Amino acid sequence: MLSNVIKSYLLNVVSLLCAGWFLYDFLNLNVQFSEIMKQPEPPWEATMSISSFASLIVLLIISFFYYRVRKKTKNVSLLLFPFEFAEEDEREKMITAEACKKAFVFLLFSFPIGATLMAFYPLLPNSFNFYPIAVILLLSLIQLTVYYVSISKIYR
């Protein structure tokens, strides 16, 4: 069971990385649009790499089918993230509840820290425009790590 937890964690981390890559490309596209709005004379050009969006979609499809086969159910929802929330018995529900409690307590302390980090954004040079997305993804990554470390400790 522990190897399934590790696989699930890695799949979720890769999903967050793909989401970050897509958001970075989307942010760059919006910066290009803002430049077009400042100087509306043609020619206009705004480009975005389709590979980040395609990798995110492919990863979501792979993870959906991975968890559908692993849980052997047909009613796996994409709203369950991480997919470990799909419990089958009381023991799994208790394990998930304990891990969720620890992740929630982490969020109570991390959101003020994240808000403080966001307050420093105007002081950073314009070359690091990805900073707000990086802070949010870092909080999500640490929350996932807390959740999966809690689950792995319980399973041991």
PDB file of all heavy atoms in Angstrom, residues 4-5 7-13 15-16 63 66-67 70-71 76-87 96 99-100 103 140 143-149 151:
ATOM      1  N   ASN A   4       1.758   2.575  -3.392  1.00  0.00           N
ATOM      2  CA  ASN A   4       0.662   3.302  -4.035  1.00  0.00           C
ATOM      3  C   ASN A   4       0.598   4.743  -3.537  1.00  0.00           C
ATOM      4  O   ASN A   4       0.282   5.650  -4.304  1.00  0.00           O
ATOM      5  CB  ASN A   4      -0.673   2.602  -3.762  1.00  0.00           C
ATOM      6  CG  ASN A   4      -0.826   1.336  -4.564  1.00  0.00           C
ATOM      7  OD1 ASN A   4      -0.164   1.151  -5.587  1.00  0.00           O
ATOM      8  ND2 ASN A   4      -1.673   0.442  -4.090  1.00  0.00           N
ATOM      9  N   VAL A   5       0.895   4.951  -2.268  1.00  0.00           N
ATOM     10  CA  VAL A   5       0.912   6.308  -1.718  1.00  0.00           C
ATOM     11  C   VAL A   5       2.020   7.117  -2.375  1.00  0.00           C
ATOM     12  O   VAL A   5       1.826   8.274  -2.753  1.00  0.00           O
ATOM     13  CB  VAL A   5       1.073   6.267  -0.184  1.00  0.00           C
ATOM     14  CG1 VAL A   5       1.301   7.656   0.380  1.00  0.00           C
ATOM     15  CG2 VAL A   5      -0.146   5.626   0.458  1.00  0.00           C
ATOM     16  N   LYS A   7       3.395   6.549  -5.364  1.00  0.00           N
ATOM     17  CA  LYS A   7       3.005   6.793  -6.762  1.00  0.00           C
ATOM     18  C   LYS A   7       1.989   7.923  -6.854  1.00  0.00           C
ATOM     19  O   LYS A   7       2.083   8.791  -7.717  1.00  0.00           O
ATOM     20  CB  LYS A   7       2.415   5.529  -7.372  1.00  0.00           C
ATOM     21  CG  LYS A   7       3.403   4.446  -7.683  1.00  0.00           C
ATOM     22  CD  LYS A   7       2.676   3.238  -8.251  1.00  0.00           C
ATOM     23  CE  LYS A   7       3.543   2.023  -8.314  1.00  0.00           C
ATOM     24  NZ  LYS A   7       2.803   0.829  -8.738  1.00  0.00           N
ATOM     25  N   SER A   8       1.017   7.910  -5.958  1.00  0.00           N
ATOM     26  CA  SER A   8      -0.004   8.950  -5.958  1.00  0.00           C
ATOM     27  C   SER A   8       0.607  10.314  -5.662  1.00  0.00           C
ATOM     28  O   SER A   8       0.267  11.310  -6.302  1.00  0.00           O
ATOM     29  CB  SER A   8      -1.079   8.614  -4.922  1.00  0.00           C
ATOM     30  OG  SER A   8      -2.056   9.602  -4.880  1.00  0.00           O
ATOM     31  N   TYR A   9       1.526  10.362  -4.702  1.00  0.00           N
ATOM     32  CA  TYR A   9       2.197  11.616  -4.371  1.00  0.00           C
ATOM     33  C   TYR A   9       2.982  12.152  -5.565  1.00  0.00           C
ATOM     34  O   TYR A   9       2.882  13.330  -5.910  1.00  0.00           O
ATOM     35  CB  TYR A   9       3.125  11.423  -3.168  1.00  0.00           C
ATOM     36  CG  TYR A   9       3.962  12.631  -2.861  1.00  0.00           C
ATOM     37  CD1 TYR A   9       3.383  13.763  -2.304  1.00  0.00           C
ATOM     38  CD2 TYR A   9       5.326  12.649  -3.121  1.00  0.00           C
ATOM     39  CE1 TYR A   9       4.138  14.887  -2.026  1.00  0.00           C
ATOM     40  CE2 TYR A   9       6.092  13.760  -2.840  1.00  0.00           C
ATOM     41  CZ  TYR A   9       5.495  14.878  -2.288  1.00  0.00           C
ATOM     42  OH  TYR A   9       6.245  15.990  -2.020  1.00  0.00           O
ATOM     43  N   LEU A  10       3.748  11.272  -6.209  1.00  0.00           N
ATOM     44  CA  LEU A  10       4.542  11.701  -7.365  1.00  0.00           C
ATOM     45  C   LEU A  10       3.655  12.184  -8.510  1.00  0.00           C
ATOM     46  O   LEU A  10       3.964  13.180  -9.168  1.00  0.00           O
ATOM     47  CB  LEU A  10       5.461  10.575  -7.825  1.00  0.00           C
ATOM     48  CG  LEU A  10       6.606  10.234  -6.879  1.00  0.00           C
ATOM     49  CD1 LEU A  10       7.387   9.042  -7.393  1.00  0.00           C
ATOM     50  CD2 LEU A  10       7.508  11.432  -6.675  1.00  0.00           C
ATOM     51  N   LEU A  11       2.541  11.486  -8.726  1.00  0.00           N
ATOM     52  CA  LEU A  11       1.614  11.902  -9.770  1.00  0.00           C
ATOM     53  C   LEU A  11       1.017  13.275  -9.458  1.00  0.00           C
ATOM     54  O   LEU A  11       0.881  14.121 -10.343  1.00  0.00           O
ATOM     55  CB  LEU A  11       0.514  10.853  -9.937  1.00  0.00           C
ATOM     56  CG  LEU A  11      -0.354  10.931 -11.176  1.00  0.00           C
ATOM     57  CD1 LEU A  11       0.489  10.862 -12.440  1.00  0.00           C
ATOM     58  CD2 LEU A  11      -1.358   9.804 -11.176  1.00  0.00           C
ATOM     59  N   ASN A  12       0.713  13.524  -8.191  1.00  0.00           N
ATOM     60  CA  ASN A  12       0.173  14.828  -7.804  1.00  0.00           C
ATOM     61  C   ASN A  12       1.214  15.930  -7.907  1.00  0.00           C
ATOM     62  O   ASN A  12       0.896  17.055  -8.306  1.00  0.00           O
ATOM     63  CB  ASN A  12      -0.400  14.765  -6.388  1.00  0.00           C
ATOM     64  CG  ASN A  12      -1.705  14.005  -6.345  1.00  0.00           C
ATOM     65  OD1 ASN A  12      -2.522  14.121  -7.241  1.00  0.00           O
ATOM     66  ND2 ASN A  12      -1.896  13.228  -5.308  1.00  0.00           N
ATOM     67  N   VAL A  13       2.463  15.632  -7.571  1.00  0.00           N
ATOM     68  CA  VAL A  13       3.530  16.621  -7.695  1.00  0.00           C
ATOM     69  C   VAL A  13       3.764  16.965  -9.169  1.00  0.00           C
ATOM     70  O   VAL A  13       3.904  18.132  -9.533  1.00  0.00           O
ATOM     71  CB  VAL A  13       4.828  16.126  -7.025  1.00  0.00           C
ATOM     72  CG1 VAL A  13       6.017  17.000  -7.395  1.00  0.00           C
ATOM     73  CG2 VAL A  13       4.653  16.080  -5.519  1.00  0.00           C
ATOM     74  N   SER A  15       1.575  16.737 -11.477  1.00  0.00           N
ATOM     75  CA  SER A  15       0.401  17.527 -11.881  1.00  0.00           C
ATOM     76  C   SER A  15       0.559  18.990 -11.486  1.00  0.00           C
ATOM     77  O   SER A  15       0.237  19.889 -12.268  1.00  0.00           O
ATOM     78  CB  SER A  15      -0.868  16.965 -11.244  1.00  0.00           C
ATOM     79  OG  SER A  15      -1.122  15.665 -11.660  1.00  0.00           O
ATOM     80  N   LEU A  16       1.052  19.230 -10.273  1.00  0.00           N
ATOM     81  CA  LEU A  16       1.284  20.614  -9.853  1.00  0.00           C
ATOM     82  C   LEU A  16       2.352  21.292 -10.712  1.00  0.00           C
ATOM     83  O   LEU A  16       2.219  22.468 -11.057  1.00  0.00           O
ATOM     84  CB  LEU A  16       1.703  20.656  -8.386  1.00  0.00           C
ATOM     85  CG  LEU A  16       0.598  20.621  -7.354  1.00  0.00           C
ATOM     86  CD1 LEU A  16       1.182  20.581  -5.952  1.00  0.00           C
ATOM     87  CD2 LEU A  16      -0.326  21.805  -7.500  1.00  0.00           C
ATOM     88  N   SER A  63      -3.882  10.388 -15.030  1.00  0.00           N
ATOM     89  CA  SER A  63      -4.163  10.227 -13.601  1.00  0.00           C
ATOM     90  C   SER A  63      -5.602   9.775 -13.369  1.00  0.00           C
ATOM     91  O   SER A  63      -5.861   8.961 -12.478  1.00  0.00           O
ATOM     92  CB  SER A  63      -3.871  11.524 -12.847  1.00  0.00           C
ATOM     93  OG  SER A  63      -4.705  12.555 -13.296  1.00  0.00           O
ATOM     94  N   TYR A  66      -5.616   6.100 -14.191  1.00  0.00           N
ATOM     95  CA  TYR A  66      -4.803   5.385 -13.205  1.00  0.00           C
ATOM     96  C   TYR A  66      -5.614   5.138 -11.937  1.00  0.00           C
ATOM     97  O   TYR A  66      -5.659   4.026 -11.417  1.00  0.00           O
ATOM     98  CB  TYR A  66      -3.543   6.181 -12.883  1.00  0.00           C
ATOM     99  CG  TYR A  66      -2.771   5.664 -11.701  1.00  0.00           C
ATOM    100  CD1 TYR A  66      -1.999   4.508 -11.802  1.00  0.00           C
ATOM    101  CD2 TYR A  66      -2.806   6.330 -10.479  1.00  0.00           C
ATOM    102  CE1 TYR A  66      -1.287   4.034 -10.712  1.00  0.00           C
ATOM    103  CE2 TYR A  66      -2.102   5.858  -9.393  1.00  0.00           C
ATOM    104  CZ  TYR A  66      -1.341   4.718  -9.515  1.00  0.00           C
ATOM    105  OH  TYR A  66      -0.646   4.251  -8.430  1.00  0.00           O
ATOM    106  N   TYR A  67      -6.263   6.165 -11.448  1.00  0.00           N
ATOM    107  CA  TYR A  67      -7.042   6.007 -10.220  1.00  0.00           C
ATOM    108  C   TYR A  67      -8.332   5.231 -10.446  1.00  0.00           C
ATOM    109  O   TYR A  67      -8.803   4.541  -9.552  1.00  0.00           O
ATOM    110  CB  TYR A  67      -7.339   7.361  -9.596  1.00  0.00           C
ATOM    111  CG  TYR A  67      -6.124   7.936  -8.943  1.00  0.00           C
ATOM    112  CD1 TYR A  67      -5.449   9.016  -9.499  1.00  0.00           C
ATOM    113  CD2 TYR A  67      -5.620   7.374  -7.786  1.00  0.00           C
ATOM    114  CE1 TYR A  67      -4.325   9.527  -8.897  1.00  0.00           C
ATOM    115  CE2 TYR A  67      -4.486   7.874  -7.183  1.00  0.00           C
ATOM    116  CZ  TYR A  67      -3.850   8.955  -7.740  1.00  0.00           C
ATOM    117  OH  TYR A  67      -2.737   9.445  -7.161  1.00  0.00           O
ATOM    118  N   ARG A  70      -7.133   1.691 -10.401  1.00  0.00           N
ATOM    119  CA  ARG A  70      -6.647   1.324  -9.081  1.00  0.00           C
ATOM    120  C   ARG A  70      -7.780   1.145  -8.079  1.00  0.00           C
ATOM    121  O   ARG A  70      -7.767   0.228  -7.266  1.00  0.00           O
ATOM    122  CB  ARG A  70      -5.691   2.389  -8.566  1.00  0.00           C
ATOM    123  CG  ARG A  70      -4.894   1.885  -7.405  1.00  0.00           C
ATOM    124  CD  ARG A  70      -3.854   2.875  -6.982  1.00  0.00           C
ATOM    125  NE  ARG A  70      -4.076   3.057  -5.551  1.00  0.00           N
ATOM    126  CZ  ARG A  70      -4.023   4.187  -4.931  1.00  0.00           C
ATOM    127  NH1 ARG A  70      -3.770   5.272  -5.591  1.00  0.00           N
ATOM    128  NH2 ARG A  70      -4.225   4.254  -3.650  1.00  0.00           N
ATOM    129  N   LYS A  71      -8.770   1.990  -8.125  1.00  0.00           N
ATOM    130  CA  LYS A  71      -9.889   1.876  -7.194  1.00  0.00           C
ATOM    131  C   LYS A  71     -10.968   0.918  -7.700  1.00  0.00           C
ATOM    132  O   LYS A  71     -11.882   0.587  -6.970  1.00  0.00           O
ATOM    133  CB  LYS A  71     -10.514   3.258  -6.938  1.00  0.00           C
ATOM    134  CG  LYS A  71      -9.649   4.154  -6.100  1.00  0.00           C
ATOM    135  CD  LYS A  71      -9.537   3.589  -4.709  1.00  0.00           C
ATOM    136  CE  LYS A  71      -8.760   4.542  -3.825  1.00  0.00           C
ATOM    137  NZ  LYS A  71      -8.649   4.083  -2.466  1.00  0.00           N
ATOM    138  N   VAL A  76     -15.270   7.594 -10.271  1.00  0.00           N
ATOM    139  CA  VAL A  76     -14.196   8.450  -9.793  1.00  0.00           C
ATOM    140  C   VAL A  76     -14.421   9.847 -10.348  1.00  0.00           C
ATOM    141  O   VAL A  76     -14.583  10.035 -11.542  1.00  0.00           O
ATOM    142  CB  VAL A  76     -12.815   7.898 -10.232  1.00  0.00           C
ATOM    143  CG1 VAL A  76     -11.719   8.869  -9.863  1.00  0.00           C
ATOM    144  CG2 VAL A  76     -12.567   6.553  -9.602  1.00  0.00           C
ATOM    145  N   SER A  77     -14.456  10.811  -9.468  1.00  0.00           N
ATOM    146  CA  SER A  77     -14.698  12.191  -9.865  1.00  0.00           C
ATOM    147  C   SER A  77     -13.381  12.942  -9.995  1.00  0.00           C
ATOM    148  O   SER A  77     -12.450  12.728  -9.209  1.00  0.00           O
ATOM    149  CB  SER A  77     -15.591  12.866  -8.826  1.00  0.00           C
ATOM    150  OG  SER A  77     -15.686  14.237  -9.093  1.00  0.00           O
ATOM    151  N   LEU A  78     -13.313  13.840 -10.955  1.00  0.00           N
ATOM    152  CA  LEU A  78     -12.126  14.670 -11.096  1.00  0.00           C
ATOM    153  C   LEU A  78     -12.027  15.703  -9.977  1.00  0.00           C
ATOM    154  O   LEU A  78     -10.999  16.328  -9.792  1.00  0.00           O
ATOM    155  CB  LEU A  78     -12.135  15.376 -12.447  1.00  0.00           C
ATOM    156  CG  LEU A  78     -11.846  14.503 -13.657  1.00  0.00           C
ATOM    157  CD1 LEU A  78     -11.985  15.303 -14.932  1.00  0.00           C
ATOM    158  CD2 LEU A  78     -10.474  13.889 -13.571  1.00  0.00           C
ATOM    159  N   LEU A  79     -13.130  15.895  -9.232  1.00  0.00           N
ATOM    160  CA  LEU A  79     -13.112  16.842  -8.127  1.00  0.00           C
ATOM    161  C   LEU A  79     -12.370  16.298  -6.914  1.00  0.00           C
ATOM    162  O   LEU A  79     -12.047  17.049  -6.004  1.00  0.00           O
ATOM    163  CB  LEU A  79     -14.546  17.212  -7.733  1.00  0.00           C
ATOM    164  CG  LEU A  79     -15.364  17.888  -8.825  1.00  0.00           C
ATOM    165  CD1 LEU A  79     -16.781  18.122  -8.353  1.00  0.00           C
ATOM    166  CD2 LEU A  79     -14.724  19.196  -9.248  1.00  0.00           C
ATOM    167  N   LEU A  80     -12.115  14.999  -6.883  1.00  0.00           N
ATOM    168  CA  LEU A  80     -11.379  14.403  -5.782  1.00  0.00           C
ATOM    169  C   LEU A  80      -9.888  14.550  -6.058  1.00  0.00           C
ATOM    170  O   LEU A  80      -9.313  13.840  -6.867  1.00  0.00           O
ATOM    171  CB  LEU A  80     -11.728  12.919  -5.626  1.00  0.00           C
ATOM    172  CG  LEU A  80     -13.139  12.594  -5.214  1.00  0.00           C
ATOM    173  CD1 LEU A  80     -13.351  11.091  -5.194  1.00  0.00           C
ATOM    174  CD2 LEU A  80     -13.443  13.179  -3.850  1.00  0.00           C
ATOM    175  N   PHE A  81      -9.276  15.507  -5.401  1.00  0.00           N
ATOM    176  CA  PHE A  81      -7.856  15.745  -5.595  1.00  0.00           C
ATOM    177  C   PHE A  81      -7.228  15.986  -4.247  1.00  0.00           C
ATOM    178  O   PHE A  81      -7.596  16.949  -3.585  1.00  0.00           O
ATOM    179  CB  PHE A  81      -7.620  16.949  -6.495  1.00  0.00           C
ATOM    180  CG  PHE A  81      -6.171  17.142  -6.839  1.00  0.00           C
ATOM    181  CD1 PHE A  81      -5.591  16.366  -7.811  1.00  0.00           C
ATOM    182  CD2 PHE A  81      -5.416  18.083  -6.186  1.00  0.00           C
ATOM    183  CE1 PHE A  81      -4.255  16.534  -8.139  1.00  0.00           C
ATOM    184  CE2 PHE A  81      -4.087  18.257  -6.505  1.00  0.00           C
ATOM    185  CZ  PHE A  81      -3.508  17.488  -7.484  1.00  0.00           C
ATOM    186  N   PRO A  82      -6.366  15.179  -3.768  1.00  0.00           N
ATOM    187  CA  PRO A  82      -5.834  13.975  -4.386  1.00  0.00           C
ATOM    188  C   PRO A  82      -6.856  12.851  -4.375  1.00  0.00           C
ATOM    189  O   PRO A  82      -7.778  12.856  -3.574  1.00  0.00           O
ATOM    190  CB  PRO A  82      -4.631  13.619  -3.516  1.00  0.00           C
ATOM    191  CG  PRO A  82      -4.908  14.236  -2.213  1.00  0.00           C
ATOM    192  CD  PRO A  82      -5.748  15.450  -2.473  1.00  0.00           C
ATOM    193  N   PHE A  83      -6.676  11.918  -5.253  1.00  0.00           N
ATOM    194  CA  PHE A  83      -7.648  10.842  -5.426  1.00  0.00           C
ATOM    195  C   PHE A  83      -7.679   9.872  -4.254  1.00  0.00           C
ATOM    196  O   PHE A  83      -8.487   8.975  -4.239  1.00  0.00           O
ATOM    197  CB  PHE A  83      -7.380  10.082  -6.723  1.00  0.00           C
ATOM    198  CG  PHE A  83      -7.704  10.881  -7.948  1.00  0.00           C
ATOM    199  CD1 PHE A  83      -6.703  11.435  -8.704  1.00  0.00           C
ATOM    200  CD2 PHE A  83      -9.014  11.082  -8.325  1.00  0.00           C
ATOM    201  CE1 PHE A  83      -7.000  12.170  -9.833  1.00  0.00           C
ATOM    202  CE2 PHE A  83      -9.318  11.811  -9.445  1.00  0.00           C
ATOM    203  CZ  PHE A  83      -8.317  12.368 -10.202  1.00  0.00           C
ATOM    204  N   GLU A  84      -6.805  10.046  -3.298  1.00  0.00           N
ATOM    205  CA  GLU A  84      -6.826   9.197  -2.110  1.00  0.00           C
ATOM    206  C   GLU A  84      -8.094   9.439  -1.294  1.00  0.00           C
ATOM    207  O   GLU A  84      -8.385   8.700  -0.372  1.00  0.00           O
ATOM    208  CB  GLU A  84      -5.595   9.467  -1.235  1.00  0.00           C
ATOM    209  CG  GLU A  84      -4.295   9.116  -1.893  1.00  0.00           C
ATOM    210  CD  GLU A  84      -4.160   7.631  -2.167  1.00  0.00           C
ATOM    211  OE1 GLU A  84      -4.656   6.815  -1.391  1.00  0.00           O
ATOM    212  OE2 GLU A  84      -3.531   7.295  -3.178  1.00  0.00           O
ATOM    213  N   PHE A  85      -8.857  10.469  -1.596  1.00  0.00           N
ATOM    214  CA  PHE A  85     -10.091  10.743  -0.862  1.00  0.00           C
ATOM    215  C   PHE A  85     -11.174   9.711  -1.155  1.00  0.00           C
ATOM    216  O   PHE A  85     -12.170   9.659  -0.451  1.00  0.00           O
ATOM    217  CB  PHE A  85     -10.635  12.120  -1.201  1.00  0.00           C
ATOM    218  CG  PHE A  85      -9.844  13.250  -0.608  1.00  0.00           C
ATOM    219  CD1 PHE A  85      -9.959  14.510  -1.129  1.00  0.00           C
ATOM    220  CD2 PHE A  85      -8.997  13.053   0.460  1.00  0.00           C
ATOM    221  CE1 PHE A  85      -9.252  15.564  -0.583  1.00  0.00           C
ATOM    222  CE2 PHE A  85      -8.275  14.093   1.010  1.00  0.00           C
ATOM    223  CZ  PHE A  85      -8.419  15.355   0.485  1.00  0.00           C
ATOM    224  N   ALA A  86     -11.014   8.927  -2.177  1.00  0.00           N
ATOM    225  CA  ALA A  86     -12.026   7.919  -2.523  1.00  0.00           C
ATOM    226  C   ALA A  86     -11.829   6.704  -1.616  1.00  0.00           C
ATOM    227  O   ALA A  86     -11.175   5.740  -1.979  1.00  0.00           O
ATOM    228  CB  ALA A  86     -11.908   7.535  -3.993  1.00  0.00           C
ATOM    229  N   GLU A  87     -12.424   6.761  -0.423  1.00  0.00           N
ATOM    230  CA  GLU A  87     -12.249   5.696   0.553  1.00  0.00           C
ATOM    231  C   GLU A  87     -13.260   4.594   0.313  1.00  0.00           C
ATOM    232  O   GLU A  87     -14.350   4.834  -0.175  1.00  0.00           O
ATOM    233  CB  GLU A  87     -12.440   6.226   1.981  1.00  0.00           C
ATOM    234  CG  GLU A  87     -11.558   7.388   2.307  1.00  0.00           C
ATOM    235  CD  GLU A  87     -12.317   8.700   2.341  1.00  0.00           C
ATOM    236  OE1 GLU A  87     -13.473   8.730   1.913  1.00  0.00           O
ATOM    237  OE2 GLU A  87     -11.729   9.683   2.773  1.00  0.00           O
ATOM    238  N   THR A  96      -7.683   8.980   6.077  1.00  0.00           N
ATOM    239  CA  THR A  96      -7.844  10.205   5.311  1.00  0.00           C
ATOM    240  C   THR A  96      -8.220  11.367   6.225  1.00  0.00           C
ATOM    241  O   THR A  96      -7.713  12.484   6.052  1.00  0.00           O
ATOM    242  CB  THR A  96      -8.916  10.017   4.221  1.00  0.00           C
ATOM    243  OG1 THR A  96      -8.523   8.931   3.376  1.00  0.00           O
ATOM    244  CG2 THR A  96      -9.079  11.261   3.387  1.00  0.00           C
ATOM    245  N   ALA A  99      -5.074  12.535   8.096  1.00  0.00           N
ATOM    246  CA  ALA A  99      -4.151  13.246   7.203  1.00  0.00           C
ATOM    247  C   ALA A  99      -4.723  14.601   6.799  1.00  0.00           C
ATOM    248  O   ALA A  99      -3.982  15.590   6.720  1.00  0.00           O
ATOM    249  CB  ALA A  99      -3.858  12.396   5.972  1.00  0.00           C
ATOM    250  N   CYS A 100      -6.016  14.662   6.562  1.00  0.00           N
ATOM    251  CA  CYS A 100      -6.649  15.938   6.206  1.00  0.00           C
ATOM    252  C   CYS A 100      -6.587  16.922   7.366  1.00  0.00           C
ATOM    253  O   CYS A 100      -6.410  18.122   7.162  1.00  0.00           O
ATOM    254  CB  CYS A 100      -8.089  15.722   5.786  1.00  0.00           C
ATOM    255  SG  CYS A 100      -8.273  14.995   4.159  1.00  0.00           S
ATOM    256  N   ALA A 103      -3.125  18.357   7.350  1.00  0.00           N
ATOM    257  CA  ALA A 103      -2.957  19.288   6.233  1.00  0.00           C
ATOM    258  C   ALA A 103      -3.721  20.583   6.489  1.00  0.00           C
ATOM    259  O   ALA A 103      -3.250  21.674   6.136  1.00  0.00           O
ATOM    260  CB  ALA A 103      -3.433  18.635   4.934  1.00  0.00           C
ATOM    261  N   SER A 140       0.722  24.747  -2.096  1.00  0.00           N
ATOM    262  CA  SER A 140       0.016  23.522  -2.480  1.00  0.00           C
ATOM    263  C   SER A 140       0.926  22.309  -2.398  1.00  0.00           C
ATOM    264  O   SER A 140       0.507  21.234  -1.940  1.00  0.00           O
ATOM    265  CB  SER A 140      -0.544  23.648  -3.896  1.00  0.00           C
ATOM    266  OG  SER A 140      -1.450  24.694  -3.973  1.00  0.00           O
ATOM    267  N   GLN A 143       1.431  21.436   1.222  1.00  0.00           N
ATOM    268  CA  GLN A 143       0.217  20.830   1.757  1.00  0.00           C
ATOM    269  C   GLN A 143       0.099  19.375   1.312  1.00  0.00           C
ATOM    270  O   GLN A 143      -0.223  18.501   2.117  1.00  0.00           O
ATOM    271  CB  GLN A 143      -1.013  21.610   1.324  1.00  0.00           C
ATOM    272  CG  GLN A 143      -2.291  21.001   1.838  1.00  0.00           C
ATOM    273  CD  GLN A 143      -3.521  21.555   1.169  1.00  0.00           C
ATOM    274  OE1 GLN A 143      -3.441  22.213   0.147  1.00  0.00           O
ATOM    275  NE2 GLN A 143      -4.670  21.258   1.738  1.00  0.00           N
ATOM    276  N   LEU A 144       0.347  19.095   0.038  1.00  0.00           N
ATOM    277  CA  LEU A 144       0.332  17.713  -0.439  1.00  0.00           C
ATOM    278  C   LEU A 144       1.377  16.868   0.281  1.00  0.00           C
ATOM    279  O   LEU A 144       1.115  15.712   0.628  1.00  0.00           O
ATOM    280  CB  LEU A 144       0.602  17.667  -1.945  1.00  0.00           C
ATOM    281  CG  LEU A 144      -0.586  17.808  -2.864  1.00  0.00           C
ATOM    282  CD1 LEU A 144      -0.120  17.888  -4.313  1.00  0.00           C
ATOM    283  CD2 LEU A 144      -1.544  16.664  -2.685  1.00  0.00           C
ATOM    284  N   THR A 145       2.542  17.440   0.503  1.00  0.00           N
ATOM    285  CA  THR A 145       3.591  16.704   1.191  1.00  0.00           C
ATOM    286  C   THR A 145       3.178  16.370   2.618  1.00  0.00           C
ATOM    287  O   THR A 145       3.377  15.236   3.073  1.00  0.00           O
ATOM    288  CB  THR A 145       4.903  17.511   1.176  1.00  0.00           C
ATOM    289  OG1 THR A 145       5.240  17.805  -0.188  1.00  0.00           O
ATOM    290  CG2 THR A 145       6.026  16.751   1.829  1.00  0.00           C
ATOM    291  N   VAL A 146       2.587  17.324   3.319  1.00  0.00           N
ATOM    292  CA  VAL A 146       2.109  17.068   4.678  1.00  0.00           C
ATOM    293  C   VAL A 146       1.059  15.965   4.661  1.00  0.00           C
ATOM    294  O   VAL A 146       1.077  15.051   5.491  1.00  0.00           O
ATOM    295  CB  VAL A 146       1.551  18.360   5.312  1.00  0.00           C
ATOM    296  CG1 VAL A 146       0.767  18.064   6.582  1.00  0.00           C
ATOM    297  CG2 VAL A 146       2.670  19.336   5.601  1.00  0.00           C
ATOM    298  N   TYR A 147       0.143  16.031   3.702  1.00  0.00           N
ATOM    299  CA  TYR A 147      -0.919  15.024   3.600  1.00  0.00           C
ATOM    300  C   TYR A 147      -0.332  13.630   3.373  1.00  0.00           C
ATOM    301  O   TYR A 147      -0.680  12.679   4.071  1.00  0.00           O
ATOM    302  CB  TYR A 147      -1.866  15.411   2.461  1.00  0.00           C
ATOM    303  CG  TYR A 147      -2.957  14.405   2.207  1.00  0.00           C
ATOM    304  CD1 TYR A 147      -4.080  14.347   3.011  1.00  0.00           C
ATOM    305  CD2 TYR A 147      -2.857  13.515   1.148  1.00  0.00           C
ATOM    306  CE1 TYR A 147      -5.085  13.427   2.785  1.00  0.00           C
ATOM    307  CE2 TYR A 147      -3.854  12.585   0.913  1.00  0.00           C
ATOM    308  CZ  TYR A 147      -4.963  12.550   1.730  1.00  0.00           C
ATOM    309  OH  TYR A 147      -5.949  11.626   1.501  1.00  0.00           O
ATOM    310  N   TYR A 148       0.580  13.506   2.409  1.00  0.00           N
ATOM    311  CA  TYR A 148       1.118  12.189   2.078  1.00  0.00           C
ATOM    312  C   TYR A 148       2.105  11.678   3.126  1.00  0.00           C
ATOM    313  O   TYR A 148       2.204  10.467   3.343  1.00  0.00           O
ATOM    314  CB  TYR A 148       1.737  12.179   0.687  1.00  0.00           C
ATOM    315  CG  TYR A 148       0.682  12.084  -0.375  1.00  0.00           C
ATOM    316  CD1 TYR A 148       0.325  13.176  -1.147  1.00  0.00           C
ATOM    317  CD2 TYR A 148       0.009  10.898  -0.586  1.00  0.00           C
ATOM    318  CE1 TYR A 148      -0.661  13.086  -2.105  1.00  0.00           C
ATOM    319  CE2 TYR A 148      -0.985  10.796  -1.543  1.00  0.00           C
ATOM    320  CZ  TYR A 148      -1.313  11.892  -2.294  1.00  0.00           C
ATOM    321  OH  TYR A 148      -2.295  11.800  -3.241  1.00  0.00           O
ATOM    322  N   VAL A 149       2.831  12.549   3.779  1.00  0.00           N
ATOM    323  CA  VAL A 149       3.694  12.100   4.869  1.00  0.00           C
ATOM    324  C   VAL A 149       2.841  11.578   6.012  1.00  0.00           C
ATOM    325  O   VAL A 149       3.164  10.546   6.629  1.00  0.00           O
ATOM    326  CB  VAL A 149       4.624  13.243   5.345  1.00  0.00           C
ATOM    327  CG1 VAL A 149       5.277  12.935   6.674  1.00  0.00           C
ATOM    328  CG2 VAL A 149       5.693  13.513   4.289  1.00  0.00           C
ATOM    329  N   ILE A 151      -0.157  10.231   5.738  1.00  0.00           N
ATOM    330  CA  ILE A 151      -0.697   8.930   5.312  1.00  0.00           C
ATOM    331  C   ILE A 151       0.368   7.845   5.396  1.00  0.00           C
ATOM    332  O   ILE A 151       0.114   6.743   5.883  1.00  0.00           O
ATOM    333  CB  ILE A 151      -1.293   9.019   3.902  1.00  0.00           C
ATOM    334  CG1 ILE A 151      -2.646   9.693   3.951  1.00  0.00           C
ATOM    335  CG2 ILE A 151      -1.426   7.646   3.264  1.00  0.00           C
ATOM    336  CD1 ILE A 151      -3.379   9.750   2.645  1.00  0.00           C
TER     337      ILE A 151
END
